Amino acid sequence: MNTQADNNIELKETLQKQKLLLVLENNLSSSLGNFGVALLITLIFDHFMDNNVVYGWFFYMVSVSILRLFIGNHLYKTIQKREYKPVFERIVYVFVTLTAMGWGTASILFINAENIDTNPYLAIAIAGIVAGSTASLIPIKKYFFSFVVLALVPTLFSFFVMGGIENYYFSLMILLFILFMYRNGKIFSANISHNFELIYKNQNLIDNLKIEKNKALEASELKSQFLANMSHEVRTPMNAILGFIHLLREKEVDSKKLSYLETVIHSSENLLNIINDILDFSKIESNQLPIEKKSFNPNDTLQNSLNLFQDAAANKNIQLEFVCKNTLPKNVISDEFRLAQVLNNLLSNAIKFSPEKVNVVLEAYYDFDKGELSVTVYDEGIGIAEERQKEIFNAFYQVDASTTRKYGGTGLGLSISSMLVKMLGGKLEVESTLNKGSKFFFSIKAPVDQAVQVKPIIQQQMDFEVINGHVLVVEDNLLNQKLIIALLNKFGLTYEVANDGIEAVAAYQKDKNGEFSLILMDENMPNMSGIEATRKIRQIEAQDKKPAIPIIAVTANALEGDRERFLTEGFDEYITKPINARLLYEVLEKYTDHPQS
């Protein structure tokens, strides 16, 4: 485990490396700048001074610039390959001082009493070089201060020794410039060091966050596995419930019982849709649920939600009322299911938190100008204190602990409702008085559907033509076995049942004459899973050179990506539980003989 001292050493070395990289990034422009100014000075003083002196100095400056350029470029590439050594900093420092000494030498060689006209220009040129070095050398304070001193002090000295009031003033100006550069250099260097330190610490934070992210991803995978298992455990009984209810409805003729069955089916399907949303991990993680805008009758949706709670209201002698402030359009465009989720939550809360023998009112109004559907739910319940009304839409929030003990609930309902209303283009709001009741209201975008011709909905029984075939049913759950058998009998198919993957493989091997038309294969089974059984069957087919038998996955695994996974494992088709009878018939028809005429 790293100690604080180790961290400080690592920080210091990292900062030095980054500062040196920044200096070397400006190496090309700095070397070319030195070369260009040196060439200009050489061309000027070639007319006034001994050529040997001028060109000797120029050769020195060119040699230093070229060496600095190539060696600096090599060091830059080496450091980028993570091969930094402290000696690199000293090598660069040598070339910085050699360059500065070249400029200091220029002032000693070229500034004198004989060149009165050119002296100020040379001094300004050297000052400009020093000012220009700020960007390239300031990251390492030692480089910058050494360059300033070695380049400008000889210039100051040259003017001072010439004597005369003008030269003294010029020396003073150079001294002030040196002090100015020293002060600014100190500030800039400190800022750069601070910024690099912040970058280093931020990078450490990012690295730590990546580690935590990886841990979170591992936890996420465990959650996904949990949700996959939960999906199977929840959807399996739901399959039996919905399947048998549909079968009962087809045989029932009593209108009252049919009404009850329709309510049970409607409630079960709503529950299944909610389960699907909860189990879809990607939706929960991204905090985004899909909005499917379709045409629907708002009056029917509102009335259906009210009907769901008639029994709950009757148990508390609560009068449920439905009030339309104006005539609602026959059809609007929005997400009917999400709207129903919100209505059901608000009505459930209104009944749950109201005492006996009061009224709960569902009120609707449609604004034809704005294309908005407004809904309000009134109750005469316990109410909410004003200071807590802003918090009730937060996840897991309950007004107080006693509320949870007395009424139950997770505190998620209003939070989810608020989010759904927002996704539908509105805002869920509340007005409430403690111990007197509450009013929850919202308006959502729901334009009138002008295109749809509304037809009365007539409940039709599902009639199926008889199809030929012999099916191997692989299912461990007794209720689901009975449901599938009932459907197969309805379709005119014969069948054989296997209780797990081992029995399925054995039954397939015994079928020497190819009597099975296809296999309906569950996935989560004891002893051997559906995927393992399918792999073994495909291996047997390959060894015996038998034609591939169609294998249909009939599974409660309904998470995103499951269909592709099953098809990759050798299945021919994929059906989710609860089983849709029409969909099952279409798949069976596809893989068996044509219907009998």
Side-chain angles (χ1 to χ4, degrees):
M1 188 173 182
N2 291 339
T3 63
Q4 184 63 39
D6 292 333
N7 290 335
N8 290 337
I9 293 171
E10 182 184 354
L11 172 61
K12 184 177 180 181
E13 183 176 308
T14 302
L15 292 180
Q16 287 300 110
K17 180 174 70 175
Q18 294 301 323
K19 288 179 183 179
L20 185 57
L21 276 173
L22 189 57
V23 169
L24 293 174
E25 282 177 0
N26 295 292
N27 189 46
L28 176 61
S29 59
S30 180
S31 298
L32 291 176
N34 282 310
F35 171 77
V37 176
L39 177 61
L40 183 63
I41 290 173
T42 300
L43 294 175
I44 294 173
F45 282 93
D46 179 44
H47 300 288
F48 304 104
M49 298 189 64
D50 182 9
N51 289 347
N52 292 331
V53 174
V54 174
Y55 285 105
W57 174 82
F58 179 68
F59 176 76
Y60 169 84
M61 293 299 292
V62 170
S63 300
V64 170
S65 296
I66 291 174
L67 287 171
R68 180 180 173 186
L69 176 62
F70 283 100
I71 293 176
N73 187 53
H74 172 71
L75 293 177
Y76 181 78
K77 291 180 179 178
T78 303
I79 295 172
Q80 281 193 318
K81 294 177 182 177
R82 301 182 182 275
E83 298 176 10
Y84 172 78
K85 296 178 182 178
V87 70
F88 293 168
E89 186 179 333
R90 293 194 289 272
I91 293 173
V92 176
Y93 181 60
V94 168
F95 284 100
V96 170
T97 55
L98 288 174
T99 305
M101 289 169 61
W103 291 113
T105 302
S107 62
I108 294 172
L109 293 175
F110 304 140
I111 295 177
N112 53 59
E114 296 177 1
N115 301 326
I116 295 175
D117 293 335
T118 57
N119 288 342
Y121 295 110
L122 180 59
I124 291 171
I126 295 173
I129 286 291
V130 170
S133 71
T134 304
S136 59
L137 300 179
I138 201 68
I140 299 180
K141 189 164 52 176
K142 178 174 67 174
Y143 289 2
F144 180 68
F145 290 158
S146 297
F147 195 88
V148 170
V149 171
L150 292 174
L152 289 179
V153 169
T155 307
L156 182 154
F157 178 75
S158 296
F159 277 98
F160 188 79
V161 298
M162 283 193 297
I165 189 66
E166 296 89 352
N167 292 326
Y168 290 149
Y169 280 136
F170 219 95
S171 298
L172 179 60
M173 288 173 60
I174 294 172
L175 177 61
L176 292 174
F177 183 69
I178 291 172
L179 294 175
F180 173 78
M181 295 302 291
Y182 174 81
R183 179 182 177 278
N184 283 359
K186 192 174 180 180
I187 294 171
F188 292 159
S189 181
N191 288 339
I192 289 174
S193 296
H194 179 65
N195 288 337
F196 273 128
E197 187 174 345
L198 288 178
I199 291 171
Y200 172 81
K201 290 179 178 178
N202 286 340
Q203 187 59 50
N204 276 348
L205 286 174
I206 291 170
D207 292 340
N208 290 334
L209 285 173
K210 286 180 179 177
I211 293 171
E212 294 302 319
K213 179 183 176 182
N214 289 334
K215 291 180 180 178
L217 288 174
E218 290 177 7
S220 175
E221 290 178 6
L222 292 174
K223 289 179 186 176
S224 296
Q225 186 59 47
F226 168 78
L227 288 175
N229 294 335
M230 185 60 68
S231 171
H232 180 267
E233 296 302 321
V234 173
R235 295 173 71 89
T236 296
M238 284 297 297
N239 172 56
I241 292 169
L242 277 173
F244 282 115
I245 290 173
H246 278 288
L247 290 175
L248 286 172
R249 183 183 63 180
E250 290 180 11
K251 302 296 183 181
E252 187 56 60
V253 293
D254 184 89
S255 60
K256 191 172 184 179
K257 290 181 180 179
L258 276 172
S259 174
Y260 293 157
L261 288 171
E262 288 296 334
T263 301
V264 174
I265 289 172
H266 186 72
S267 300
S268 299
E269 288 175 345
N270 270 341
L271 175 60
L272 183 62
N273 284 328
I274 294 169
I275 290 170
N276 288 339
D277 286 337
I278 294 172
L279 295 176
D280 191 337
F281 186 69
S282 62
K283 296 173 188 174
I284 298 171
E285 286 292 288
S286 62
N287 199 28
Q288 292 181 344
L289 294 174
I291 292 296
E292 297 181 10
K293 293 188 176 181
K294 297 179 181 178
S295 178
F296 67 94
N297 187 316
N299 189 77
D300 288 349
T301 303
L302 293 162
Q303 192 65 58
N304 286 338
S305 291
L306 208 65
N307 290 342
L308 284 175
F309 295 96
Q310 290 291 352
D311 288 342
N315 290 336
K316 297 179 73 173
N317 291 319
I318 291 175
Q319 180 66 41
L320 281 182
E321 296 181 24
F322 181 30
V323 177
C324 279
K325 297 180 72 175
N326 64 347
T327 303
L328 300 180
K330 287 187 176 181
N331 270 58
V332 296
I333 298 174
S334 186
D335 192 319
E336 181 183 15
F337 173 66
R338 302 302 175 195
L339 173 61
Q341 270 188 273
V342 176
L343 293 172
N344 293 347
N345 177 258
L346 296 181
L347 288 169
S348 173
N349 284 348
I351 294 170
K352 180 166 65 174
F353 295 112
S354 292
E356 294 185 353
K357 299 179 181 179
V358 295
N359 294 325
V360 169
V361 180
L362 173 63
E363 180 182 276
Y365 169 78
Y366 191 83
D367 188 327
F368 284 87
D369 294 330
K370 295 181 180 179
E372 290 182 351
L373 176 65
S374 299
V375 177
T376 305
V377 175
Y378 299 89
D379 69 58
E380 300 175 34
I382 60 176
I384 306 161
E386 185 176 355
E387 64 272 14
R388 299 196 176 185
Q389 290 177 17
K390 292 181 179 179
E391 299 174 317
I392 61 171
F393 298 117
N394 296 335
F396 303 107
Y397 181 81
Q398 293 277 19
V399 173
D400 57 44
S402 62
T403 301
T404 306
R405 288 194 299 269
K406 184 174 180 180
Y407 298 101
T410 62
L412 279 174
L414 284 176
S415 175
I416 294 173
S417 296
S418 177
M419 180 185 69
L420 291 175
V421 171
K422 184 177 180 181
M423 294 171 72
L424 293 172
K427 181 181 179 182
L428 180 58
E429 299 179 82
V430 61
E431 293 177 4
S432 184
T433 303
L434 197 61
N435 298 321
K436 289 189 176 181
S438 301
K439 166 188 171 184
F440 286 88
F441 57 98
F442 61 88
S443 296
I444 60 170
K445 297 290 183 183
V448 175
D449 184 4
Q450 305 287 359
V452 173
Q453 295 295 323
V454 181
K455 298 179 180 179
I457 299 173
I458 302 173
Q459 181 64 46
Q460 297 179 348
Q461 291 193 5
M462 291 184 289
D463 295 322
F464 301 99
E465 296 182 23
V466 174
I467 50 180
N468 295 320
H470 188 56
V471 180
L472 175 59
V473 178
V474 187
E475 172 63 65
D476 65 308
N477 186 281
L478 184 60
L479 287 176
N480 285 333
Q481 286 180 8
K482 290 181 177 180
L483 174 61
I484 294 173
I485 289 169
L487 291 172
L488 294 180
N489 285 329
K490 189 177 183 65
F491 303 154
L493 292 162
T494 57
Y495 54 85
E496 183 175 328
V497 177
N499 294 295
D500 57 34
I502 293 175
E503 291 186 15
V505 174
Y508 176 75
Q509 288 178 310
K510 290 179 183 178
D511 183 24
K512 302 297 183 181
N513 299 321
E515 293 181 4
F516 290 128
S517 305
L518 57 82
I519 300 174
L520 294 178
M521 182 79 74
D522 186 24
E523 160 52 13
N524 291 58
M525 296 180 291
N527 303 321
M528 181 183 289
S529 70
I531 287 178
E532 290 177 286
T534 299
R535 288 174 184 164
K536 289 189 177 295
I537 290 171
R538 296 306 184 205
Q539 289 171 3
I540 294 169
E541 289 172 344
Q543 291 169 4
D544 298 346
K545 296 182 180 180
K546 297 173 66 175
I549 186 171
I551 304 178
I552 316 303
V554 184
T555 175
N557 294 74
L559 298 180
E560 185 177 350
D562 278 339
R563 176 182 177 82
E564 292 74 15
R565 180 166 65 90
F566 281 106
L567 296 181
T568 302
E569 292 290 352
F571 289 82
D572 295 277
E573 192 54 82
Y574 166 89
I575 298 175
T576 60
K577 297 175 182 176
I579 297 170
N580 181 295
R582 171 60 63 183
L583 179 60
L584 178 62
Y585 178 83
E586 290 173 358
V587 172
L588 292 171
E589 183 184 8
K590 177 181 176 182
Y591 290 103
T592 56
D593 293 340
H594 291 292
Q596 295 177 348
S597 56

